[in-house]
Amino acid sequence: MNRIQQMSWMILLLAAGCTFSGKVVRLPVTDGLEHTALSAEQTGMITSTLAQFPDHSQIAVAVLTGNETLYFGAIRQHDTIRPCNNANSVFEIGSITKVFTTQLLMDAVRSGKIKSLDEPVASYLNYSIKGQPDITFRQLASHTSGLPGNLSASIFTTDAANPYKKWDEEKLRDFLQHDVAMHDAPGQNYLYSNVGMALLATILCSVSERDYEFLLQENICDPLHMDHTTTNRDLISSDLVQGYNWKGKPTENWDMDAMAGAGAILSTVSDLAIYAGWSMTALHQSLIDMTLPTVQINDDLQVALGWHVVSNKTPEPFLWHNGGTGGYKSSMAIDLNNGRSVVILTNIGATDNPRKGLIDQLCFDLVNSFEG
């Protein structure tokens, strides 16, 4: 999963015109990619970004503007960019999962299962977090709980190919009860925390007496007919795109177990486009708290609940989240002021990838590519 606090400085580097080592790659583009309602400028942005990654790299894009959703897919094969009909292909979306987990929190508050966003989480646990920090639900959803970013500094060295596989609920509980070291006192500072979001999800499952997959389907996917969005790989295995690491080698899919609420969802750009379109209204109404900034991270970035708010990339701020696993990189933006959204899913591994920020920059550029 991507650590968005790392992205905050990546955004600044990109804005300053920093380039990655090595020259920009330009590849031939086959016929067929021009048959899209996207502009030549937009397709050029996408194909030139894809060209910077190894063979087998694939990108699926959905762009919503007004009442129209446009799709664009491409794959790099044999050093050529070719068209790819992948709007219904499934990718790991990584930390974009956190937006869904936060919506499930809002649903739990609205239904009365949780009394308030500002209620301490301790009363919902049958154990005490080490040090008994006074953490609220709002702080978990806005990454201001003071909990560490990850389970340990060695999470990617113990099993880099599948780092969360062994973290079941019992092990997560034991970590929080006996081993966790708070980074800050709750409410003081922003620190993007996979641990905090996983804790939030386990509480939501506990108060509902259901697992995360059930809550996801019942509250979001089934009502919106998002038929290819799930945490269960077995359900979508025939449509799942193979993931590759940043060197172009096939990777394992990640098993998230108790960390599901932090990054376990798999989806398609067509499903996420449905979600983005629905969110255009919901974020003005029942989910408006998810749009309100809580902490200023830097000049370009604020955190709300679930979403982050990006400024200075476009004339007006927009909501954004990204994600990354060992074999996939994603980025999603919603421009509420102008009724536009961009979804990007790729099978380009994010772990240790020095060029993963190019996918987020592409997302920002596409948001900014519309006139009027």
Side-chain angles (χ1 to χ4, degrees), residues 24-27 46-54 76 81 355:
V24 173
V25 178
R26 291 180 174 83
L27 296 176
I46 298 168
T47 56
S48 62
T49 298
L50 182 59
Q52 310 313 307
F53 296 98
R76 174 172 171 165
I81 305 299
R355 293 192 170 190

Side-chain angles (χ1 to χ4, degrees), residues 50-80:
L50 182 59
Q52 310 313 307
F53 296 98
D55 260 13
H56 311 296
S57 296
Q58 188 176 149
I59 190 166
V61 178
V63 175
L64 289 77
T65 177
N67 295 319
E68 188 177 26
T69 302
L70 310 175
Y71 297 103
F72 184 87
I75 186 170
R76 174 172 171 165
Q77 291 179 325
H78 308 298
D79 292 331
T80 301

